[in-house]
Amino acid sequence: GIRVVGSKESRTLNERWRGRAKPTNVLSFPAAGGLRGRQIGDLVVCAPVVAREAREQGKALRAHWAHMIVHGTLHLLGFDHERARDAKRMESRERTLLARLGIADPYGD
């Protein structure tokens, strides 16, 4: 499922699960059963961070929300962006999926 939270709860979860004491845009929590179950996991989206990022990046709020849901879902499916090669693969998949939704490249200039 998807849960929308404020900055305080996002910070608490991000610190607890990732060791980072600040709110973040989206956190992904894979389900224990992996891809075999009906639900692949949960997303926690911090509405104030997503809104701030959209403003700072000059993006439509709707488009940035869509990007965060796609980004978080790809994490649930096993994608990551820790290494440059993995980031390139994940970003390519994000671009493709968002284009299918009519949303411009989130990494474009």
Side-chain angles (χ1 to χ4, degrees):
I2 299 173
R3 183 169 171 201
V4 179
V5 299
S7 295
K8 183 178 179 183
E9 188 168 359
S10 176
R11 180 189 186 280
T12 298
L13 291 168
N14 198 25
E15 186 170 21
R16 178 176 180 188
W17 296 105
R18 297 177 66 226
R20 298 179 182 166
K22 65 178 186 172
T24 190
N25 49 27
V26 63
L27 290 166
S28 302
F29 297 95
L35 298 177
R36 293 186 307 272
R38 287 185 59 185
Q39 183 175 343
I40 60 172
D42 296 303
L43 299 178
V44 176
V45 183
C46 182
V49 170
V50 173
R52 178 180 47 78
E53 289 176 346
R55 278 191 313 274
E56 289 173 353
Q57 297 170 21
K59 296 177 180 175
L61 184 58
R62 177 184 168 277
H64 195 49
W65 267 91
H67 181 207
M68 293 303 94
I69 300 303
V70 167
H71 184 87
T73 301
L74 288 175
H75 276 307
L76 294 177
L77 293 171
F79 286 80
D80 72 51
H81 43 80
E82 296 303 313
R83 297 182 310 209
R85 186 173 80 197
D86 295 331
K88 186 175 180 178
R89 180 175 171 248
M90 184 171 180
E91 289 170 10
S92 174
R93 184 62 57 97
E94 288 172 329
R95 286 181 179 103
T96 299
L97 293 170
L98 290 167
R100 289 181 185 172
L101 297 172
I103 296 172
D105 178 357
Y107 299 105
D109 294 328

